Amino acid sequence: MTSSRRQVDLPSLKRGEIRDPALTAALRKLELTVRRKLDGVLHGDHLGLLPGPGSEPGESRLYQPGDDVRRMDWSVTARTTHPHVRQMIADRELETWLVVDMSASLDFGTTGCEKRDLAVAAAAAITFLNSGGGNRIGAIIANGDSVRRVPALSGRMHEQEMLRTIATMPKAPTGVRGDLAAAIDALRRPERRRGMAVIISDFLGPINWMRPLRAIAGRHEVLGIEVLDPRDVELPPVGDVILQDTESGVTREFTIDEELRSDFEKAAEAHRVEVARTLRRCDAPLLTLRTDRDWIADVVRFVANRRRGALAGRA
């Protein structure tokens, strides 16, 4: 799989300040890559990256497993004695909000790029896929120490400026933990028009963000994008090492033997399962991107599967 891995062509923030011309060129290359790879996968009907139900009522159809029970058409169900759901017409102008977690745990990467770079790439992919047609996109970027807000606007210049703001978000000071729950909750104030909310994070740490996410999901379509590095899920057999918690600054010495590797892998897998379960409870699909995989291929696969599911539901 390593031969097909696609690196993120963004200068690592560990190497210092990103010069604007370099960042502009990197974002332009990202845009060309995303649009070229998804040409033919996305087309028509304003379905975008996450084909949502829209907000205008349309025809009813038979209920299928996995349909949102909140859209049950009870009058048709009672008349036909078979469960039906109300289809919704896709909005022609979509408002998308990104919640981008830039806490210290994302300033890390052991393969093609840092998780921070991959988070920028994910934001760029969503931006380019949902642009055009009067669609608006905005962002809330948080690192645990400060929050940047970019209003939801349309237009290429706005999109480039928003991505530049995400890419240049300062690193949090040592010992500052991220607060994903507070960042998600910031979407609720002020109340925003119905649209899409995309949460980009490694989702490490306590899962204390379910309540604000459910509140958001009650009004918006929600997508979770999980950004991972191989060391988030498994440890290499390297023996004695000194490790530092990037968010607390605590440093400890470990002997990485087979028992510790096994325990770490089981704990990491259990945490990821719980993250996926929590998002599922909020009716939010999950897209996982990894620094050691071809991230654009994962995006293409996810979009194609969502499109097929949406079209099958209509049929």
Side-chain angles (χ1 to χ4, degrees):
M1 294 297 292
T2 55
S3 61
S4 63
R5 184 174 72 239
R6 183 184 301 276
Q7 295 189 0
V8 179
D9 296 312
L10 286 175
S12 171
L13 297 185
K14 283 202 301 187
R15 294 193 288 272
E17 194 88 12
I18 289 184
R19 293 181 297 107
D20 192 69
L23 179 56
T24 299
L27 293 177
R28 177 58 178 161
K29 187 173 183 179
L30 267 180
E31 179 179 8
L32 292 174
T33 300
V34 171
R35 293 191 188 279
R36 183 175 65 251
K37 287 292 183 179
L38 284 162
D39 184 33
V41 177
L42 290 176
H43 56 275
D45 238 6
H46 307 275
L47 289 178
L49 173 66
L50 181 61
S55 58
E56 297 298 324
E59 300 293 327
S60 292
R61 62 167 172 80
L62 283 171
Y63 172 85
Q64 297 180 353
D67 285 336
D68 190 345
V69 296
R70 294 175 298 179
R71 298 191 173 93
M72 293 292 295
D73 191 329
W74 297 111
S75 60
V76 176
T77 298
R79 188 167 63 250
T80 63
T81 70
H82 296 289
H84 278 68
V85 292
R86 174 72 69 177
Q87 295 186 105
M88 308 299 284
I89 300 172
D91 298 317
R92 290 195 168 270
E93 291 186 0
L94 177 68
E95 182 168 296
T96 301
W97 279 91
L98 308 177
V99 176
V100 187
D101 175 15
M102 283 294 186
S103 55
S105 63
L106 277 88
D107 299 325
F108 174 76
T110 61
T111 55
C113 64
E114 292 186 351
K115 290 191 291 182
R116 168 184 281 251
D117 295 330
L118 194 54
V120 176
I126 293 167
T127 298
F128 302 143
L129 291 173
N130 283 341
S131 64
N135 291 346
R136 292 176 295 278
I137 188 163
I140 294 175
I141 312 113
N143 64 7
D145 179 60
S146 60
V147 177
R148 288 184 177 180
R149 300 171 185 264
V150 180
L153 300 172
S154 60
R156 180 180 172 80
M157 290 184 62
H158 167 73
E159 294 165 2
Q160 293 292 326
E161 186 58 35
M162 182 190 71
L163 293 174
R164 192 174 289 108
T165 301
I166 296 173
T168 57
M169 181 69 178
K171 293 183 179 182
T174 302
V176 174
R177 290 191 176 276
D179 192 345
L180 183 58
I184 295 173
D185 196 54
L187 274 182
R188 301 172 60 188
R189 300 180 300 275
E191 185 171 303
R192 309 177 195 281
R193 62 172 294 175
R194 188 180 299 274
M196 181 191 300
V198 182
I199 316 301
I200 303 174
S201 175
D202 56 12
F203 296 104
L204 297 181
I207 302 177
N208 58 356
W209 36 264
M210 181 175 176
R211 184 185 295 272
L213 188 62
R214 292 192 75 165
I216 295 299
R219 182 171 178 81
H220 305 280
E221 292 297 311
V222 177
L223 168 65
I225 299 184
E226 181 182 43
V227 178
L228 295 176
D229 184 83
R231 297 291 81 83
D232 291 329
V233 297
E234 61 183 3
L235 295 175
V238 293
D240 295 335
V241 295
I242 297 176
L243 301 177
Q244 182 182 55
D245 184 326
T246 54
E247 295 198 7
S248 68
V250 175
T251 300
R252 292 183 59 186
E253 187 173 341
F254 293 90
T255 298
I256 301 182
D257 53 20
E258 288 304 315
E259 182 180 2
L260 179 60
R261 293 182 66 204
S262 177
D263 290 344
F264 181 87
E265 188 172 340
K266 290 176 182 177
E269 178 62 22
H271 179 78
R272 291 192 62 205
V273 168
E274 187 58 29
V275 167
R277 182 184 296 118
T278 303
L279 287 165
R280 195 161 53 244
R281 288 173 181 168
C282 300
D283 296 317
L286 176 64
L287 167 60
T288 298
L289 304 178
R290 288 178 49 139
T291 59
D292 62 339
R293 283 204 314 238
D294 186 342
W295 65 273
I296 191 67
D298 288 337
V299 172
V300 170
R301 192 177 303 112
F302 178 83
V303 172
N305 289 339
R306 296 295 299 181
R307 290 277 303 187
R308 281 195 294 270
L311 295 175
R314 290 184 171 191

